[in-house]
């Protein structure tokens, strides 16, 4: 399930959680029950984020049990460490 933005002609924007396969289907407005189409109201956050911050977020979101790559492992250890 994912969160999508929809726009009711009478009541304005709202969000709804839907299966990805149904994201483009109209959703009933929670206030007036009018079928409302999907809208793209928010720009993706990663598109305008500075590279350093984007990389930091990616590192923080990585699963704690995910194995490190050989390059990450070597970078974490100082020179001469075997």
């Amino acid at each position: 399930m994912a969160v999508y933005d929809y726009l009711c002609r009478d009541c304005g924007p709202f969000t709804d959680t839907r299966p990805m396969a149904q994201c483009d289907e109209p959703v009933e407005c929670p206030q007036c029950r009018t079928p409302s189409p999907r809208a793209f109201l928010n720009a993706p956050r990663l598109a305008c984020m500075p590279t350093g911050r984007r990389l930091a977020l990616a590192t923080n979101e990585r699963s704690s049990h995910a194995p490190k790559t050989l390059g990450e492992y070597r970078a974490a250890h100082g020179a001469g460490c075997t």
Side-chain angles (χ1 to χ4, degrees), residues 4-16 23 25-30 32 34-41:
Y4 297 99
D5 294 322
Y6 294 88
L7 184 60
C8 176
R9 186 184 63 194
D10 298 324
C11 303
F14 64 95
T15 59
D16 191 30
C23 70
E25 296 174 13
V27 175
E28 282 188 359
C29 172
C32 67
T34 302
S36 303
R38 183 172 174 201
F40 296 91
L41 304 174

Side-chain angles (χ1 to χ4, degrees), residues 43-56:
R45 293 182 185 186
L46 294 178
C48 58
M49 190 179 295
T51 303
R53 186 167 182 199
R54 190 169 52 241
L55 293 174

